[in-house]
Amino acid sequence: MEYEIKPAGRLTLNLPELWDFRELIYFFTWRDIKIKYKQTFLGGMWALLQPFLLMVVFTLFFSRGLKISTGNLPYPVFVFPGLLLWNIFSNGVTNSGNSMVNNANIIKKIYFPRLIIPVSSILSTLIDFFIGFLLFIVLLIYYRVPVDPGRLLYAFPASLIIILITTLGVGTLLASLNVKYRDFRYVIPFMVQILLFLTPVIYPVTVVPEGLIRDLFQLNPLAGAISLLRSCFGYDYEVGFHLMGGTALSIILLVAGLVYFRKTEYYFADLA
Amino acid sequence: MKPILEVKEISKRFRIYHESRPYLTFREQIQKTFISSGKKTSEDFWALRNISFTVSQGESLGIIGRNGAGKSTLLKILSRITPPTTGGIVSRGRIASLLEVGTGFHPELTGQENIFLNGSILGMKQAEIKKKFDAILDFSGVEKFIDTPLKHYSSGMQLRLAFAVAAFLEPEILIIDEVLAVGDAEFQKKCIRKMEGVARSGHTILFVSHQMGLVKQLCNRCILLDKGIIAANDSSEKVTSMYLNLGQQEAVNRYEADAGSSTGKKYFFTDVQSVNPAGEAISTFGFNQPICLKMNMQFNQDPGDILLSVGLLDKFGNRVFTVHRPLKEFLNHPGRVSGTLKIPANLIAPNYYTFHFALVTRDGTVFDQHESKCLIQVADTGTVFSEYEGKDYGSIILDCEWI
């Protein structure tokens, strides 16, 4: 084994190195999952309770209160997959955005590809998604909603991948910015909150006025992924320009995030 | 064979921001972009300048230097935490450092979980950790609490667990940084034994320490860093003694009589100073060096039967020993006496000491006396008690016979 330690220079993603450290990705993810519900009475139940309670609240407000129409889908079935995917994004961005600062003591003492930290903090949010999805299956059975299994087979992984790409892009960007400018510690929760309103998670995109504004809303990669998943349960959504555009946007975000992260990671130890 | 580690002209620059904050707020960054104020808010500081050295396979290299000499920066570059500004390093083996002990320990996880997490962070494969798990547990001595969350451990237990994981790393190049200063004596001994084992088994060791005795014991070659450059790269013997003499000038502690303290006294000290046998003023002595105290006295009358009495005090002010000698027996210039006391080498245990000196008569009349003056340090240069450096084991090391 021979390697060189050089001044910061050429920009490479160095995926082989990341692969070498795959066990560390696993351990960091495992740690984040493990400590998430430590010393709580309900433990993993929170992964069920959080989206469930949110669903109940939103159902009361939007469906019963504001009488928002979600087409042929009952509102709880409409909102739940949205919330599950949204939680990957919001928790993922929040966790990874703060991850470099929170793990400063490790970064300052030992070398490993820094990308492992935001990546595993995002991966650890997946467990909540899968637990929540079990509850969603119960919900589907309760409301007797027909499922399109053929569509589910590709829409489920595709929507997850789009969400993960977007989350990783935004997460790594915020993580490296946060190391340098601690302002982002306060920007992140604010940003996530605003985005919840700008993304058709708790309302259908049809409430947005038709035309350019609705197009913009639909170009949001999160909106595309959520709608794609919903479409497996009878939600009216066409795979087309908006989804392509959104996916392209998420890839652009990912590239931007990774490039900026790689460019600044050399100095994390000096700044953190 | 090629050396296992080649360090080629590395330098490291740090920007020092004058708000004493290493990071900027976004507002400041924006301000800086648009308003270029003439005032400089940062300056450059070179922590390391053109450091080059090589380490061959199986060698133990000591790295010494005063605080701020650049040791930590060098270690950080070697362990790839921060990149050098210029220059490069070629490493032909995995570098792991014991400055990382306990890195990533999480208080909520159990001992066992932490062994796996920490081992993985330190670069071990999961299978490797599993294989060594029992040995690690055994070394740490915390078997009973292995399923208890770490937050319920005492700090000593946490440290032992941390060190145990690190001790089984078996990298090709091991960096050890002052970690041995912690833990109880028994555990320290265990660690030193382990390290000696590592060194013997052909691993390369970089050892960073202030404990000269240990450095000499463990390393045959040494690098002395001073203000970011390599001041010496030679045998440990030579370099450690250089270190002890480095920067002595400013550290010398001498007693000098001022006008007020000498007026009206018939016999008094004019100045007293610790020196090496060559007569140069120093205040840090190696254990294997004689300690000399040079005293100049002045008097207006015949010395008569006045005695010069000198005592060595330990850091608590307790008398280690006292010697005295009639003033008459010194070589006299009229009205002045100069005498140098020489304490033999290899006797006074490494620690801090001060002197008590007085001019008295046998019946107890005191003419001039000074307590706790001329602070000196005796540094360990490889005594049998090296590994207990900093512990109180008495003020002298006697070479007794066992019969």
Side-chain angles (χ1 to χ4, degrees), chain B residues 307-357:
Chain B
L307 295 173
L308 165 61
S309 151
V310 181
L312 184 71
L313 312 176
D314 69 13
K315 60 183 173 190
F316 306 110
N318 299 318
R319 193 75 67 111
V320 178
F321 66 80
T322 307
V323 290
H324 64 219
R325 193 181 185 208
L327 268 190
K328 279 188 290 205
E329 290 174 26
F330 288 98
L331 258 178
N332 284 343
H333 302 284
R336 278 178 175 275
V337 169
S338 179
T340 301
L341 172 73
K342 180 171 164 189
I343 304 171
N346 302 315
L347 176 69
I348 305 300
N351 215 325
Y352 290 91
Y353 299 92
T354 56
F355 289 95
H356 167 271
F357 37 87

Side-chain angles (χ1 to χ4, degrees), chain B residues 37-52:
Chain B
S37 59
K39 191 174 70 185
K40 227 174 115 193
T41 54
S42 70
E43 65 180 291
D44 289 347
F45 165 72
W46 290 88
L48 291 175
R49 262 173 301 197
N50 282 329
I51 301 289
S52 300

Side-chain angles (χ1 to χ4, degrees), chain A residues 1-8 17 20-21 23-24 26-28 30-31 34-35 38-39 105-112 114 177 179-184 265-267 269-272, chain B residues 12 14 22-26 29 76-95 99-100 103-104 106 108-109 113 116-117 120-122 124-126 151:
Chain A
M1 181 177 140
E2 177 174 336
Y3 61 88
E4 250 184 288
I5 301 169
K6 284 179 298 195
E17 193 190 27
D20 269 350
F21 280 86
E23 278 191 0
L24 192 54
Y26 163 75
F27 271 112
F28 273 129
W30 168 82
R31 175 197 69 177
K34 195 105 191 175
I35 59 178
K38 274 266 167 149
Q39 214 168 14
N105 60 335
I106 302 178
I107 295 167
K108 278 197 258 190
K109 282 192 166 174
I110 197 155
Y111 174 79
F112 51 83
R114 303 311 191 202
L177 282 169
V179 175
K180 213 167 175 192
Y181 313 104
R182 299 298 156 91
D183 306 71
F184 283 89
E265 73 172 338
Y266 291 107
Y267 300 102
D270 298 345
L271 291 168
Chain B
K12 176 75 183 177
F14 284 109
Y23 51 88
L24 297 169
T25 64
F26 208 40
Q29 189 66 39
K76 275 188 178 170
I77 293 173
L78 283 171
S79 44
R80 301 169 77 188
I81 294 160
T82 182
T85 309
T86 61
I89 295 166
V90 178
S91 169
R92 297 190 174 86
R94 184 167 80 166
I95 303 180
L99 76 160
E100 300 150 0
T103 303
H106 199 286
E108 295 286 352
L109 299 176
E113 289 165 341
F116 276 91
L117 178 65
S120 182
I121 291 176
L122 293 178
M124 282 196 250
K125 295 272 171 262
Q126 202 178 345
K151 60 181 175 183

Side-chain angles (χ1 to χ4, degrees), chain A residues 57-120:
Chain A
V57 171
F58 287 135
T59 306
L60 289 177
F61 271 91
F62 288 92
S63 179
R64 297 284 158 78
L66 293 170
K67 302 260 185 281
I68 282 179
S69 157
T70 49
N72 48 355
L73 267 187
Y75 185 83
V77 180
F78 167 85
V79 81
F80 209 81
L83 282 175
L84 289 179
L85 289 178
W86 170 257
N87 278 342
I88 295 181
F89 176 78
S90 74
N91 292 336
V93 162
T94 309
N95 292 349
S96 59
N98 291 318
S99 63
M100 297 307 287
V101 176
N102 289 345
N103 287 294
N105 60 335
I106 302 178
I107 295 167
K108 278 197 258 190
K109 282 192 166 174
I110 197 155
Y111 174 79
F112 51 83
R114 303 311 191 202
L115 202 52
I116 286 178
I117 287 182
V119 165
S120 50

Side-chain angles (χ1 to χ4, degrees), chain A residues 114-129:
Chain A
R114 303 311 191 202
L115 202 52
I116 286 178
I117 287 182
V119 165
S120 50
S121 66
I122 290 169
L123 287 181
S124 67
T125 60
L126 278 179
I127 190 87
D128 281 3
F129 172 82

